[in-house]
Amino acid sequence: MFKKILIANRGEVAMRVIFACRELGIKTVAIYSEADENSLHVRFADEDVCIGPARSADSYLNVPAVISAAEITGADAIHPGYGFLSESAYLAEVCEACHIRFIGPDPQVIRLMGDKARARRVMKKAGVPILPGSDGPLDSEERALKLAKDIGYPIIVKATAGGGGRGMRVVRNPSELPNAVKTAQREAEAAFGVPDVYIEKYVESPRHIEFQILGDQFGNVLHLGERECSIQRRHQKLLEESPSPALTEKMRRKMGGIVIDAAKAVQYTNAGTFEFLMDPAGHFYFMEANTRLQVEHPVTEMVTGIDIVKEQIRIAAGEKLSFKQGDVTFTGHSIECRVNAEDPETFTPSPGVIHVFSVPGGPGVRVETLAHSDCTISPYYDSMIAKIIVHGRDRAEAIARMRRVLEMTVIEGIKTSIPLHLKILDDPDFQAGRVSTSFMERFLARPRSNSSGGRLAEAV
Ligand code: MV4
């Protein structure tokens, strides 16, 4: 087992990795930017190294600075968290060259999944259902038009280097295609430095459902069930849950088996997530695979009782998975709300000093946060300041529990998304589990019946 792990991240996820390390008896090294000098992860790590100025590009994204911090402190592994360098095949390669263990999949697997067109081909070959589309990047306008005609409109143009919704264009008729391809290529080049795009049949109002897997270095792969992640706005998830209200046990077993085979086909190791679109008829289609720990991993931990971060560390250290698929059971229901420092109506960031921060505990409540009373929320980073996760015996209990926790949470000094979460929890479609990726758009377009005249209640 590792003696010392450097955490190449900040915020709640850095804390999450520290929790796992402490429980495993592993020393921790925090890295931080000048803006994060007083943050919790620096306070609770055994050692800390300042790696640069506030801007991410000058600190948390600086590979030489991260590696130097690991070498100086003698860390034998790096946990990248999520975001920042977590899906950098380059960092994973540099780690390998420096004899520092990267806690994540091999660089080749990260690189493969980073190329969405290639991942599509490989998944298809492994027997994973994919949508009709191009076998690789588009090479000519004529071929694109011919293919789109064969597939049938609407289609979607996606950047091969994309993900998270950047460089995408929906095309509803052939006259729009040439421009959509050009625009998507330009956006992809600007955002990722790679202009390649591919096309797929477009699914209207799908659900976003993703499967969590774990794979060890001995070829054992397990799935930990799915998460329903359809409640999102502009590709930022707001609320996630497990299990998905749309899946039966039979569907879970079938899809779980498919993702296990797919992961084995690419010799996947460590934690990973296979994202699917589910159409209104209940058919699944592979979208992309994330080669990192995800923000919403706690809902899976709550229903399975498995500590995904500890498993990541054990796997990276070369241990065999200590349990089998049959040992993985799913109990009750879990929901996560991402609390953002933002105006719940305009979604504009709301950085500043939190004077009071108080979240009630009680049965089935878990809070992951970088916040505490009198902390400063920096404008430099992600607006997510806390994740509130609940577990209940069933979905109704989880919803009621989340509502009471949010109602009793006091955050003073900044605006948060909590009033928006309370509204979502009150929605009849949400309560019935009728959600899709169009949910928020429709929800926000609706006139709201509420004492403040169609506006959300004041942030607490
Ligand atoms: C799609 C799609 C419909 N059909 N692909 C958005 C993020 C990127 N990972 C892929 N995305 C989508 N791909 C086909 N063929 C709809 C989306 C999509 C979406 C997916 C998941 C969660 C939220 C979404 C919001 C809008 C569009």
Side-chain angles (χ1 to χ4, degrees), residues 116 120 131-132 154-158 162-166 168 170 198-209 229-237 275-277 285-288 290 436-438 441:
K116 313 296 163 185
R120 232 177 87 85
L131 284 155
I155 59 117
I156 183 166
V157 182
K158 293 183 175 180
R166 283 195 299 175
M168 288 188 348
V170 178
Y198 64 104
I199 63 176
E200 249 179 28
K201 174 88 189 161
Y202 181 66
V203 182
E204 305 273 4
S205 300
R207 282 176 188 260
H208 172 157
I209 295 173
C229 303
S230 298
I231 308 281
Q232 53 79 45
R233 179 186 166 270
R234 297 202 181 162
H235 309 292
Q236 290 295 111
K237 294 166 188 162
E275 297 186 346
F276 292 86
L277 293 176
Y285 304 100
F286 173 76
M287 191 159 47
E288 47 195 75
N290 299 320
S436 81
T437 55
S438 315
E441 222 176 304

Short mmCIF file of all heavy atoms in Angstrom, two decimals, residues 116 120 131-132 154-158 162-166 168 170 198-209 229-237 275-277 285-288 290 436-438 441, ligand 1:
data_model
loop_
_atom_site.label_atom_id
_atom_site.label_comp_id
_atom_site.label_asym_id
_atom_site.label_seq_id
_atom_site.Cartn_x
_atom_site.Cartn_y
_atom_site.Cartn_z
N LYS A 116 -13.91 10.59 -28.64
CA LYS A 116 -15.28 10.04 -28.59
C LYS A 116 -15.62 9.20 -29.83
O LYS A 116 -16.38 8.23 -29.71
CB LYS A 116 -16.30 11.17 -28.44
CG LYS A 116 -15.96 12.20 -27.38
CD LYS A 116 -15.92 11.65 -25.97
CE LYS A 116 -15.18 12.61 -25.05
NZ LYS A 116 -14.98 12.15 -23.70
N ARG A 120 -16.51 5.27 -29.56
CA ARG A 120 -17.74 4.75 -30.18
C ARG A 120 -17.44 3.46 -30.95
O ARG A 120 -18.14 2.46 -30.78
CB ARG A 120 -18.25 5.81 -31.17
CG ARG A 120 -19.69 6.21 -31.04
CD ARG A 120 -19.99 7.31 -32.06
NE ARG A 120 -20.37 6.73 -33.36
CZ ARG A 120 -21.61 6.35 -33.65
NH1 ARG A 120 -22.58 6.50 -32.78
NH2 ARG A 120 -21.86 5.82 -34.83
N LEU A 131 -25.68 4.60 -31.09
CA LEU A 131 -26.63 5.16 -32.06
C LEU A 131 -26.03 5.06 -33.45
O LEU A 131 -24.80 5.07 -33.60
CB LEU A 131 -26.91 6.62 -31.71
CG LEU A 131 -27.85 6.79 -30.52
CD1 LEU A 131 -27.62 8.13 -29.85
CD2 LEU A 131 -29.31 6.63 -30.96
N PRO A 132 -26.88 4.99 -34.48
CA PRO A 132 -26.34 5.04 -35.84
C PRO A 132 -25.57 6.34 -36.03
O PRO A 132 -25.99 7.37 -35.50
CB PRO A 132 -27.59 5.03 -36.73
CG PRO A 132 -28.75 4.72 -35.87
CD PRO A 132 -28.34 4.94 -34.44
N PRO A 154 -33.64 14.16 -36.99
CA PRO A 154 -32.50 15.01 -36.65
C PRO A 154 -31.24 14.20 -36.34
O PRO A 154 -31.31 13.07 -35.90
CB PRO A 154 -32.99 15.75 -35.42
CG PRO A 154 -33.97 14.81 -34.78
CD PRO A 154 -34.63 14.08 -35.91
N ILE A 155 -30.10 14.84 -36.59
CA ILE A 155 -28.81 14.25 -36.22
C ILE A 155 -28.07 15.26 -35.33
O ILE A 155 -28.48 16.41 -35.23
CB ILE A 155 -27.95 13.89 -37.46
CG1 ILE A 155 -27.69 15.12 -38.31
CG2 ILE A 155 -28.60 12.78 -38.27
CD1 ILE A 155 -26.24 15.46 -38.40
N ILE A 156 -26.99 14.80 -34.72
CA ILE A 156 -26.20 15.71 -33.88
C ILE A 156 -24.74 15.63 -34.32
O ILE A 156 -24.22 14.54 -34.62
CB ILE A 156 -26.39 15.40 -32.37
CG1 ILE A 156 -25.63 16.39 -31.49
CG2 ILE A 156 -26.02 13.96 -32.03
CD1 ILE A 156 -26.03 16.34 -30.01
N VAL A 157 -24.11 16.78 -34.44
CA VAL A 157 -22.69 16.87 -34.78
C VAL A 157 -21.93 17.05 -33.47
O VAL A 157 -22.26 17.93 -32.67
CB VAL A 157 -22.41 18.07 -35.72
CG1 VAL A 157 -20.94 18.12 -36.11
CG2 VAL A 157 -23.30 18.01 -36.95
N LYS A 158 -20.95 16.19 -33.23
CA LYS A 158 -20.21 16.25 -31.97
C LYS A 158 -18.71 16.30 -32.21
O LYS A 158 -18.20 15.68 -33.14
CB LYS A 158 -20.49 14.99 -31.13
CG LYS A 158 -21.90 14.86 -30.62
CD LYS A 158 -22.02 13.61 -29.76
CE LYS A 158 -23.40 13.52 -29.13
NZ LYS A 158 -23.54 12.33 -28.28
N GLY A 162 -14.65 16.27 -27.63
CA GLY A 162 -15.62 16.97 -26.77
C GLY A 162 -15.98 16.23 -25.51
O GLY A 162 -15.19 15.46 -24.96
N GLY A 163 -17.19 16.44 -25.10
CA GLY A 163 -17.64 15.96 -23.79
C GLY A 163 -18.16 17.16 -23.06
O GLY A 163 -17.70 18.29 -23.31
N GLY A 164 -19.12 16.89 -22.19
CA GLY A 164 -19.68 18.01 -21.44
C GLY A 164 -20.44 18.99 -22.31
O GLY A 164 -20.77 20.07 -21.86
N GLY A 165 -20.72 18.60 -23.55
CA GLY A 165 -21.63 19.40 -24.37
C GLY A 165 -20.99 20.47 -25.24
O GLY A 165 -21.68 21.15 -25.98
N ARG A 166 -19.66 20.61 -25.18
CA ARG A 166 -19.03 21.65 -26.00
C ARG A 166 -18.77 21.13 -27.42
O ARG A 166 -18.46 19.96 -27.61
CB ARG A 166 -17.72 22.14 -25.36
CG ARG A 166 -18.03 23.10 -24.21
CD ARG A 166 -16.81 23.87 -23.78
NE ARG A 166 -15.76 22.98 -23.30
CZ ARG A 166 -14.54 23.38 -22.95
NH1 ARG A 166 -14.22 24.64 -23.04
NH2 ARG A 166 -13.66 22.51 -22.51
N MET A 168 -21.06 20.91 -29.90
CA MET A 168 -22.17 20.08 -30.38
C MET A 168 -23.16 20.93 -31.15
O MET A 168 -23.41 22.07 -30.79
CB MET A 168 -22.92 19.44 -29.20
CG MET A 168 -22.18 18.35 -28.51
SD MET A 168 -23.20 17.48 -27.29
CE MET A 168 -24.64 18.50 -27.13
N VAL A 170 -27.15 20.38 -33.07
CA VAL A 170 -28.25 19.55 -33.53
C VAL A 170 -28.66 20.03 -34.92
O VAL A 170 -28.73 21.23 -35.16
CB VAL A 170 -29.45 19.62 -32.56
CG1 VAL A 170 -30.61 18.78 -33.07
CG2 VAL A 170 -29.02 19.14 -31.17
N TYR A 198 -17.91 14.26 -35.55
CA TYR A 198 -18.60 13.08 -36.10
C TYR A 198 -20.10 13.29 -35.94
O TYR A 198 -20.51 14.25 -35.26
CB TYR A 198 -18.13 11.79 -35.41
CG TYR A 198 -18.45 11.70 -33.94
CD1 TYR A 198 -19.49 10.89 -33.47
CD2 TYR A 198 -17.71 12.42 -33.00
CE1 TYR A 198 -19.78 10.80 -32.11
CE2 TYR A 198 -18.00 12.35 -31.65
CZ TYR A 198 -19.03 11.53 -31.21
OH TYR A 198 -19.32 11.46 -29.87
N ILE A 199 -20.90 12.45 -36.55
CA ILE A 199 -22.34 12.61 -36.41
C ILE A 199 -23.01 11.35 -35.86
O ILE A 199 -22.49 10.24 -35.96
CB ILE A 199 -23.05 13.07 -37.71
CG1 ILE A 199 -22.92 12.03 -38.84
CG2 ILE A 199 -22.57 14.42 -38.15
CD1 ILE A 199 -23.69 12.44 -40.09
N GLU A 200 -24.17 11.58 -35.25
CA GLU A 200 -24.97 10.54 -34.64
C GLU A 200 -26.43 10.88 -34.82
O GLU A 200 -26.79 12.05 -34.88
CB GLU A 200 -24.71 10.55 -33.12
CG GLU A 200 -23.97 9.40 -32.58
CD GLU A 200 -23.74 9.52 -31.07
OE1 GLU A 200 -24.54 10.16 -30.36
OE2 GLU A 200 -22.75 8.96 -30.62
N LYS A 201 -27.27 9.87 -34.84
CA LYS A 201 -28.71 10.10 -34.76
C LYS A 201 -28.99 10.86 -33.47
O LYS A 201 -28.42 10.54 -32.43
CB LYS A 201 -29.41 8.74 -34.73
CG LYS A 201 -30.90 8.80 -34.51
CD LYS A 201 -31.63 8.93 -35.82
CE LYS A 201 -33.11 9.21 -35.62
NZ LYS A 201 -33.72 9.78 -36.83
N TYR A 202 -29.86 11.87 -33.53
CA TYR A 202 -30.17 12.66 -32.34
C TYR A 202 -31.39 12.08 -31.62
O TYR A 202 -32.41 11.82 -32.24
CB TYR A 202 -30.44 14.12 -32.73
CG TYR A 202 -30.75 15.02 -31.56
CD1 TYR A 202 -29.77 15.29 -30.60
CD2 TYR A 202 -32.00 15.59 -31.40
CE1 TYR A 202 -30.05 16.11 -29.52
CE2 TYR A 202 -32.29 16.42 -30.32
CZ TYR A 202 -31.31 16.67 -29.38
OH TYR A 202 -31.58 17.48 -28.31
N VAL A 203 -31.27 11.88 -30.33
CA VAL A 203 -32.38 11.40 -29.51
C VAL A 203 -33.01 12.59 -28.79
O VAL A 203 -32.31 13.33 -28.09
CB VAL A 203 -31.90 10.36 -28.45
CG1 VAL A 203 -33.08 9.84 -27.64
CG2 VAL A 203 -31.15 9.22 -29.12
N GLU A 204 -34.30 12.77 -28.96
CA GLU A 204 -35.00 13.89 -28.32
C GLU A 204 -35.31 13.54 -26.86
O GLU A 204 -35.78 12.44 -26.58
CB GLU A 204 -36.35 14.17 -29.01
CG GLU A 204 -36.26 14.42 -30.50
CD GLU A 204 -35.99 15.87 -30.88
OE1 GLU A 204 -35.79 16.72 -29.97
OE2 GLU A 204 -35.97 16.16 -32.09
N SER A 205 -35.06 14.47 -25.97
CA SER A 205 -35.39 14.33 -24.55
C SER A 205 -35.02 12.98 -23.94
O SER A 205 -35.86 12.29 -23.37
CB SER A 205 -36.89 14.57 -24.32
OG SER A 205 -37.21 15.87 -24.73
N PRO A 206 -33.76 12.58 -24.08
CA PRO A 206 -33.35 11.31 -23.47
C PRO A 206 -33.13 11.47 -21.97
O PRO A 206 -33.09 12.59 -21.46
CB PRO A 206 -32.02 11.01 -24.16
CG PRO A 206 -31.44 12.37 -24.42
CD PRO A 206 -32.61 13.28 -24.70
N ARG A 207 -33.00 10.34 -21.30
CA ARG A 207 -32.48 10.36 -19.94
C ARG A 207 -30.97 10.17 -20.02
O ARG A 207 -30.48 9.49 -20.92
CB ARG A 207 -33.04 9.19 -19.13
CG ARG A 207 -34.44 9.37 -18.66
CD ARG A 207 -34.89 8.11 -17.96
NE ARG A 207 -36.30 8.15 -17.64
CZ ARG A 207 -36.80 8.46 -16.44
NH1 ARG A 207 -35.99 8.70 -15.42
NH2 ARG A 207 -38.09 8.48 -16.23
N HIS A 208 -30.25 10.77 -19.09
CA HIS A 208 -28.82 10.52 -18.95
C HIS A 208 -28.66 9.56 -17.77
O HIS A 208 -28.91 9.93 -16.63
CB HIS A 208 -28.07 11.83 -18.69
CG HIS A 208 -26.61 11.65 -18.35
ND1 HIS A 208 -25.68 12.63 -18.54
CD2 HIS A 208 -25.94 10.60 -17.85
CE1 HIS A 208 -24.50 12.20 -18.14
NE2 HIS A 208 -24.63 10.96 -17.70
N ILE A 209 -28.27 8.33 -18.11
CA ILE A 209 -28.08 7.31 -17.08
C ILE A 209 -26.66 6.76 -17.23
O ILE A 209 -26.23 6.46 -18.33
CB ILE A 209 -29.13 6.19 -17.22
CG1 ILE A 209 -30.53 6.76 -16.93
CG2 ILE A 209 -28.82 5.02 -16.28
CD1 ILE A 209 -31.67 5.81 -17.20
N CYS A 229 -28.89 11.00 -14.02
CA CYS A 229 -28.29 12.33 -14.01
C CYS A 229 -28.97 13.28 -14.98
O CYS A 229 -28.35 14.18 -15.54
CB CYS A 229 -26.80 12.24 -14.36
SG CYS A 229 -25.88 11.16 -13.28
N SER A 230 -30.26 13.08 -15.20
CA SER A 230 -30.96 13.87 -16.22
C SER A 230 -31.23 15.30 -15.80
O SER A 230 -31.43 16.17 -16.65
CB SER A 230 -32.28 13.19 -16.58
OG SER A 230 -32.03 11.91 -17.14
N ILE A 231 -31.25 15.56 -14.48
CA ILE A 231 -31.55 16.92 -14.01
C ILE A 231 -30.29 17.77 -14.10
O ILE A 231 -29.45 17.77 -13.21
CB ILE A 231 -32.07 16.92 -12.55
CG1 ILE A 231 -33.24 15.94 -12.39
CG2 ILE A 231 -32.46 18.34 -12.12
CD1 ILE A 231 -34.57 16.44 -12.87
N GLN A 232 -30.14 18.45 -15.23
CA GLN A 232 -28.97 19.30 -15.44
C GLN A 232 -29.36 20.51 -16.25
O GLN A 232 -30.39 20.53 -16.90
CB GLN A 232 -27.86 18.48 -16.14
CG GLN A 232 -28.30 17.78 -17.42
CD GLN A 232 -28.37 18.68 -18.61
OE1 GLN A 232 -27.48 19.47 -18.84
NE2 GLN A 232 -29.45 18.58 -19.38
N ARG A 233 -28.52 21.53 -16.14
CA ARG A 233 -28.74 22.75 -16.91
C ARG A 233 -27.42 23.12 -17.58
O ARG A 233 -26.39 23.22 -16.92
CB ARG A 233 -29.19 23.88 -15.99
CG ARG A 233 -29.40 25.20 -16.71
CD ARG A 233 -29.70 26.32 -15.74
NE ARG A 233 -29.55 27.59 -16.44
CZ ARG A 233 -28.42 28.28 -16.53
NH1 ARG A 233 -27.33 27.85 -15.94
NH2 ARG A 233 -28.39 29.39 -17.20
N ARG A 234 -27.48 23.31 -18.88
CA ARG A 234 -26.28 23.61 -19.67
C ARG A 234 -25.14 22.65 -19.35
O ARG A 234 -24.00 23.06 -19.11
CB ARG A 234 -25.84 25.05 -19.44
CG ARG A 234 -26.90 26.04 -19.90
CD ARG A 234 -26.31 27.38 -20.17
NE ARG A 234 -27.33 28.33 -20.58
CZ ARG A 234 -27.18 29.65 -20.55
NH1 ARG A 234 -26.06 30.16 -20.12
NH2 ARG A 234 -28.14 30.43 -20.96
N HIS A 235 -25.47 21.38 -19.30
CA HIS A 235 -24.50 20.30 -19.06
C HIS A 235 -23.87 20.34 -17.68
O HIS A 235 -22.89 19.65 -17.43
CB HIS A 235 -23.44 20.28 -20.18
CG HIS A 235 -24.06 20.27 -21.55
ND1 HIS A 235 -24.76 19.19 -22.02
CD2 HIS A 235 -24.13 21.21 -22.51
CE1 HIS A 235 -25.23 19.48 -23.22
NE2 HIS A 235 -24.87 20.70 -23.54
N GLN A 236 -24.44 21.13 -16.79
CA GLN A 236 -24.01 21.09 -15.39
C GLN A 236 -25.10 20.35 -14.62
O GLN A 236 -26.24 20.79 -14.56
CB GLN A 236 -23.88 22.51 -14.82
CG GLN A 236 -22.72 23.30 -15.38
CD GLN A 236 -21.39 22.71 -15.01
OE1 GLN A 236 -20.67 22.19 -15.85
NE2 GLN A 236 -21.05 22.74 -13.75
N LYS A 237 -24.72 19.22 -14.04
CA LYS A 237 -25.72 18.47 -13.28
C LYS A 237 -26.09 19.22 -12.01
O LYS A 237 -25.25 19.88 -11.40
CB LYS A 237 -25.16 17.08 -12.91
CG LYS A 237 -24.93 16.21 -14.15
CD LYS A 237 -24.08 14.99 -13.85
CE LYS A 237 -23.71 14.27 -15.14
NZ LYS A 237 -22.58 13.35 -14.97
N GLU A 275 -21.42 6.37 -19.65
CA GLU A 275 -22.63 7.19 -19.78
C GLU A 275 -23.48 6.70 -20.94
O GLU A 275 -22.96 6.43 -22.03
CB GLU A 275 -22.25 8.65 -20.09
CG GLU A 275 -21.47 9.35 -19.02
CD GLU A 275 -21.28 10.83 -19.35
OE1 GLU A 275 -21.53 11.25 -20.51
OE2 GLU A 275 -20.88 11.57 -18.45
N PHE A 276 -24.79 6.66 -20.69
CA PHE A 276 -25.73 6.25 -21.73
C PHE A 276 -26.84 7.27 -21.87
O PHE A 276 -27.20 7.96 -20.92
CB PHE A 276 -26.36 4.90 -21.38
CG PHE A 276 -25.38 3.75 -21.43
CD1 PHE A 276 -24.60 3.45 -20.31
CD2 PHE A 276 -25.23 3.01 -22.58
CE1 PHE A 276 -23.68 2.40 -20.36
CE2 PHE A 276 -24.31 1.96 -22.63
CZ PHE A 276 -23.54 1.66 -21.52
N LEU A 277 -27.37 7.32 -23.09
CA LEU A 277 -28.64 8.00 -23.31
C LEU A 277 -29.69 6.90 -23.27
O LEU A 277 -29.46 5.82 -23.80
CB LEU A 277 -28.67 8.66 -24.68
CG LEU A 277 -27.75 9.84 -24.92
CD1 LEU A 277 -27.85 10.30 -26.37
CD2 LEU A 277 -28.10 10.97 -23.98
N TYR A 285 -28.14 3.74 -25.27
CA TYR A 285 -27.09 3.97 -26.26
C TYR A 285 -25.88 4.56 -25.55
O TYR A 285 -26.01 5.54 -24.80
CB TYR A 285 -27.57 4.94 -27.34
CG TYR A 285 -28.83 4.47 -28.02
CD1 TYR A 285 -30.06 5.00 -27.65
CD2 TYR A 285 -28.80 3.47 -28.99
CE1 TYR A 285 -31.24 4.56 -28.25
CE2 TYR A 285 -29.97 3.02 -29.60
CZ TYR A 285 -31.18 3.58 -29.22
OH TYR A 285 -32.33 3.13 -29.79
N PHE A 286 -24.71 3.99 -25.83
CA PHE A 286 -23.47 4.49 -25.24
C PHE A 286 -23.22 5.93 -25.67
O PHE A 286 -23.36 6.26 -26.85
CB PHE A 286 -22.29 3.61 -25.68
CG PHE A 286 -20.94 4.13 -25.27
CD1 PHE A 286 -20.50 4.01 -23.97
CD2 PHE A 286 -20.12 4.76 -26.21
CE1 PHE A 286 -19.25 4.50 -23.58
CE2 PHE A 286 -18.87 5.25 -25.83
CZ PHE A 286 -18.44 5.12 -24.52
N MET A 287 -22.85 6.79 -24.74
CA MET A 287 -22.54 8.18 -25.06
C MET A 287 -21.03 8.40 -24.91
O MET A 287 -20.35 8.69 -25.86
CB MET A 287 -23.34 9.10 -24.15
CG MET A 287 -23.32 10.54 -24.55
SD MET A 287 -24.70 11.49 -23.85
CE MET A 287 -24.71 11.01 -22.15
N GLU A 288 -20.52 8.28 -23.70
CA GLU A 288 -19.07 8.38 -23.49
C GLU A 288 -18.68 7.70 -22.18
O GLU A 288 -19.56 7.37 -21.38
CB GLU A 288 -18.60 9.83 -23.53
CG GLU A 288 -19.41 10.81 -22.72
CD GLU A 288 -19.09 12.27 -23.11
OE1 GLU A 288 -19.53 12.74 -24.18
OE2 GLU A 288 -18.42 12.92 -22.32
N ASN A 290 -16.24 8.10 -18.77
CA ASN A 290 -15.43 9.02 -17.99
C ASN A 290 -14.41 8.21 -17.18
O ASN A 290 -14.79 7.31 -16.44
CB ASN A 290 -16.30 9.84 -17.05
CG ASN A 290 -17.31 10.67 -17.82
OD1 ASN A 290 -16.99 11.22 -18.87
ND2 ASN A 290 -18.52 10.73 -17.33
N SER A 436 -36.02 13.93 -17.78
CA SER A 436 -35.20 13.75 -18.98
C SER A 436 -34.24 14.93 -19.01
O SER A 436 -34.34 15.84 -18.17
CB SER A 436 -36.07 13.74 -20.24
OG SER A 436 -36.39 15.07 -20.62
N THR A 437 -33.36 14.92 -19.99
CA THR A 437 -32.39 16.02 -20.08
C THR A 437 -33.07 17.33 -20.47
O THR A 437 -32.44 18.39 -20.41
CB THR A 437 -31.28 15.69 -21.11
OG1 THR A 437 -31.90 15.37 -22.35
CG2 THR A 437 -30.45 14.51 -20.64
N SER A 438 -34.35 17.28 -20.86
CA SER A 438 -35.10 18.52 -21.14
C SER A 438 -35.83 19.04 -19.91
O SER A 438 -36.49 20.08 -19.97
CB SER A 438 -36.15 18.27 -22.23
OG SER A 438 -35.61 17.55 -23.29
N GLU A 441 -35.00 22.75 -18.72
CA GLU A 441 -35.40 23.76 -19.68
C GLU A 441 -36.90 24.03 -19.56
O GLU A 441 -37.34 25.18 -19.50
CB GLU A 441 -35.09 23.24 -21.09
CG GLU A 441 -34.48 24.28 -22.00
CD GLU A 441 -34.12 23.64 -23.32
OE1 GLU A 441 -33.36 22.63 -23.33
OE2 GLU A 441 -34.64 24.11 -24.34
C1 MV4 B 1 -26.68 13.39 -27.50
C2 MV4 B 1 -28.01 13.79 -27.27
C3 MV4 B 1 -28.99 13.28 -28.08
N1 MV4 B 1 -28.67 12.41 -29.07
N2 MV4 B 1 -26.40 12.54 -28.49
C4 MV4 B 1 -24.65 16.25 -24.26
C5 MV4 B 1 -23.32 16.13 -23.63
C6 MV4 B 1 -22.54 15.16 -24.43
N3 MV4 B 1 -21.85 14.29 -23.56
C7 MV4 B 1 -23.55 14.45 -25.25
N4 MV4 B 1 -24.80 15.12 -25.09
C8 MV4 B 1 -25.90 14.71 -25.76
N5 MV4 B 1 -25.68 13.82 -26.75
C9 MV4 B 1 -27.39 12.08 -29.26
N6 MV4 B 1 -27.09 11.26 -30.25
C10 MV4 B 1 -28.27 14.67 -26.21
C11 MV4 B 1 -27.20 15.15 -25.47
C12 MV4 B 1 -27.56 16.07 -24.44
C13 MV4 B 1 -27.42 15.73 -23.10
C14 MV4 B 1 -26.90 14.52 -22.70
C15 MV4 B 1 -26.75 14.21 -21.37
C16 MV4 B 1 -27.15 15.12 -20.41
C17 MV4 B 1 -27.65 16.32 -20.79
C18 MV4 B 1 -27.81 16.65 -22.12
C19 MV4 B 1 -28.34 17.88 -22.49
C20 MV4 B 1 -28.47 18.19 -23.79
C21 MV4 B 1 -28.07 17.31 -24.78
#
